[in-house]
Amino acid sequence: MSATVDAQDLVAEYLDLAVLGRGVDAVRFALDHLDRGATVEALIVDVLAAAQRESGERWQRNEWSVADEHLVSGVTQRTLDAVAGTMEERPAAGSVVVACAEGDWHSLPAQMGAELLRARGFAVSFLGASTPADHVARLLDRHRPDALVVSCNLPLFYAGVIRLADAAHGAGVPVVAGGRAVRTPSRARALGADAWGADIAAVAPQIRGLAGRPQRSPRSPSAPVALLDAESRNLASRACDAMVAAHPFMRRFDDRQLARAREDLAYTVRYVAAAALVDETGVLVEYLDWLRTVLAARGVPATAIVAGLETLIPLVAAIDPAAGQLALAATDAFSG
């Protein structure tokens, strides 16, 4: 049996335990895997991180509920804590602070990254979920680490990456950005980071190479982009009312369905703002592709997404013409 198949089997067995809430058994399962010779890095990457991705995909396919996904995440948190307790202190390869983007409460991927860096010999201070940038600045000023590593899981929190990068640079600390939402070096640069890491294997040498490098100049989201994010609920409500008037089938929606439609439209506006922040249409297209999969699993056709975009674009363009053009290009790419 190949290593890939073995890893898949391990993930499946771990998820079977986790989704039943058998946290003690899941932790023991992971520690037994270490006792059989697996490295901490292999366990975190090939089992725990893979299990979290599979959990999210099962929710996306409407096979699992939000409660199932949260249950698994809670068990993985306990497992990761137990695995971290098995690691011995080693001579530090350097010192880093790891933080989630301000506003991002998805701390588990960042914690996995922190433990992987610790396994590679770094002294790591992990700040957990969203920490205010000014508080991070004070900590950096005291600790003077070699770098701040910022994890961002959703483009909705790009502005939080910028705030943390500015705070770090104010303290003279360079920044490495990564995470599921920061997939490219260009996104990291647009958010004010000094370097980008696709994964921990790439982040470690980046940290070592940042010593003495001049930090990037502070930047802030433009006023129109910030306004788009702030006005997302208002724009979504106006767009939903217009869609109800234009599409008779929506007049049959109950209050719950209309509330969900407004929520999806508000998220779409916020993703337009995020895409504009890094000037990349792909950010919005990735979200739209994800949304199509989620809604299709729940019986909603992609034409509903396009109708929502067509209604939103004029409202977005009235606030930020450039963002309106970006949304139009993303709509063409999505529906083409």
Side-chain angles (χ1 to χ4, degrees):
M1 185 177 291
S2 70
T4 301
V5 172
D6 287 344
Q8 291 173 345
D9 289 345
L10 289 169
V11 168
E13 189 170 350
Y14 173 81
L15 283 175
D16 286 345
L17 295 171
V19 78
L20 292 174
R22 293 171 58 186
V24 172
D25 292 335
V27 170
R28 186 178 296 114
F29 174 81
L31 296 181
D32 286 348
H33 188 49
L34 288 179
D35 290 341
R36 290 193 296 270
T39 64
V40 167
E41 187 160 342
L43 176 63
I44 292 175
V45 173
D46 297 335
V47 180
L48 301 184
Q52 288 302 118
R53 285 195 301 274
E54 176 62 22
S55 174
E57 288 169 5
R58 292 185 187 186
W59 171 84
Q60 190 173 330
R61 296 191 299 263
N62 206 25
E63 296 171 6
W64 277 7
S65 69
V66 171
D68 293 324
E69 190 181 17
H70 285 191
L71 180 59
V72 170
S73 293
V75 171
T76 298
Q77 177 77 67
R78 292 170 59 188
T79 304
L80 189 59
D81 289 340
V83 171
T86 68
M87 286 192 279
E88 297 179 1
E89 291 293 333
R90 295 163 49 186
S95 62
V96 296
V97 172
V98 178
C100 295
E102 189 177 357
D104 189 350
W105 293 92
H106 297 81
S107 63
L108 203 48
Q111 186 178 356
M112 289 181 183
E115 296 309 333
L116 289 171
L117 284 171
R118 201 186 315 278
R120 287 176 174 247
F122 285 89
V124 181
S125 298
F126 174 57
L127 304 187
S130 174
T131 306
D134 57 335
H135 293 248
V136 174
R138 293 204 296 271
L139 182 140
L140 295 176
D141 195 52
R142 291 198 312 271
H143 287 221
R144 293 293 175 180
D146 296 315
L148 171 68
V149 178
V150 181
S151 169
C152 183
N153 290 284
L154 293 175
L156 300 180
F157 308 118
Y158 279 165
V161 178
I162 292 174
R163 289 191 291 272
L164 284 182
D166 287 353
H169 292 157
V173 175
V175 177
V176 182
R180 189 173 58 186
V182 188
R183 298 183 179 183
T184 63
S186 62
R187 291 187 190 181
R189 287 193 299 270
L191 297 172
D194 304 287
W196 168 75
D199 52 31
I200 294 303
V203 166
Q206 291 283 6
I207 295 169
R208 298 185 183 100
L210 284 173
R213 184 190 299 184
Q215 280 79 59
R216 297 170 63 82
S217 300
R219 61 153 300 179
S220 299
S222 68
V225 169
L227 183 58
L228 270 182
D229 197 75
E231 288 291 306
S232 59
R233 289 187 178 277
N234 177 44
L235 296 181
S237 183
R238 290 167 59 190
C240 189
D241 289 346
M243 290 178 69
V244 170
H247 300 283
F249 75 92
M250 288 191 66
R251 296 169 198 164
R252 297 192 296 272
F253 280 18
D254 58 28
D255 289 344
R256 183 186 60 83
Q257 290 171 311
L258 286 173
R260 181 57 190 266
R262 291 190 187 94
E263 183 180 61
D264 288 341
L265 289 166
Y267 274 120
T268 300
V269 174
R270 295 184 66 194
Y271 270 91
V272 171
L277 200 54
V278 296
D279 192 24
E280 187 181 327
T281 304
V283 171
L284 181 56
V285 174
E286 288 166 9
Y287 165 71
L288 295 174
D289 286 338
W290 173 87
L291 184 61
R292 171 165 46 196
T293 301
V294 170
L295 294 183
R298 291 151 179 83
V300 181
T303 51
I305 301 174
V306 175
L309 287 164
E310 291 173 345
T311 308
L312 280 173
I313 286 172
L315 301 176
V316 168
I319 293 176
D320 186 344
Q325 287 297 314
L326 185 149
L328 182 60
T331 303
D332 291 341
F334 171 74
S335 57

